[in-house]
Amino acid sequence: MKDHLIHGLVNELRGEHDAHVAFDEAAAEVLGINLTDLRCLGILEREGTMAASELARESGLTTGSVTTLIDRLERAGYVCRVRDKTDRRRVFVELTDDAREAIGAVWGPLGADGFEVARRYSKGELKLIVKYLNESRELLTLHRQRVNGMPKRTEG
């Protein structure tokens, strides 16, 4: 019986993931950016202003890739580079007001509806959901590192 519930949970998580990816693809198209750029916009929205090296570490991209990504997002009007007030050599990346407006237009209604869904659960249920999602994210991070270390297939 428990295994049946676990399989049901896994199927629901996979379906939720697919719906999430489809939503992100639609959002990226509306914003005129690719999915990697969208993910980095999300990191900046969640974490706030950060150095390019921090964005690279958080996103799992190389610093060279992040520099190119920042250039694209800057041209699109979604981020700007800001010099550190105490160390002018250091540069940070932050979202623009246009980015915040676009993010609000795309995710605001979803967030409001999601908040209403979450309000249906008890505090204990919400704590359990948060615990599960945290453990799941940790597993995904661990296994992403494992998969990144696997040999890459080449076309052949």
Side-chain angles (χ1 to χ4, degrees):
M1 172 91 167
K2 186 173 180 180
D3 285 352
H4 179 71
L5 288 172
I6 292 170
H7 286 292
L9 172 64
V10 169
N11 283 337
E12 288 301 320
L13 286 170
R14 290 176 73 185
E16 191 272 343
H17 171 76
D18 291 345
H20 186 94
V21 169
F23 184 89
D24 281 354
E25 287 170 345
E29 187 173 338
V30 164
L31 298 175
I33 59 177
N34 65 46
L35 286 171
T36 301
D37 294 358
L38 182 74
R39 187 163 46 95
C40 288
L41 274 185
I43 291 167
L44 288 166
E45 195 272 332
R46 185 179 68 242
E47 300 295 329
T49 301
M50 60 177 49
S53 60
E54 294 169 321
L55 183 57
R57 184 175 52 255
E58 188 70 24
S59 66
L61 299 170
T62 66
T63 53
S65 293
V66 164
T67 298
T68 303
L69 178 141
I70 293 167
D71 290 342
R72 280 194 310 271
L73 290 175
E74 196 170 40
R75 281 192 303 275
Y78 293 132
V79 301
C80 61
R81 289 175 167 98
V82 179
R83 293 216 177 268
D84 187 332
K85 291 178 172 82
T86 58
D87 182 353
R88 302 287 295 159
R89 296 168 296 176
R90 192 169 166 156
V91 177
F92 294 100
V93 182
E94 67 180 30
L95 293 179
T96 63
D97 290 339
D98 286 346
R100 292 182 196 290
E101 186 176 317
I103 288 167
V106 172
W107 281 274
L110 175 62
D113 288 348
F115 191 82
E116 289 306 313
V117 168
R119 293 185 104 202
R120 298 178 197 157
Y121 294 91
S122 70
K123 287 181 182 179
E125 289 170 327
L126 290 171
K127 286 179 182 178
L128 181 61
I129 292 167
V130 168
K131 179 182 177 189
Y132 177 82
L133 291 173
N134 184 274
E135 290 177 13
S136 179
R137 182 175 38 84
E138 288 174 0
L139 275 176
L140 285 166
T141 299
L142 177 69
H143 284 275
R144 183 188 74 206
Q145 293 167 355
R146 176 186 59 81
V147 171
N148 283 343
M150 293 171 70
K152 311 299 185 249
R153 284 185 75 170
T154 57
E155 289 186 45

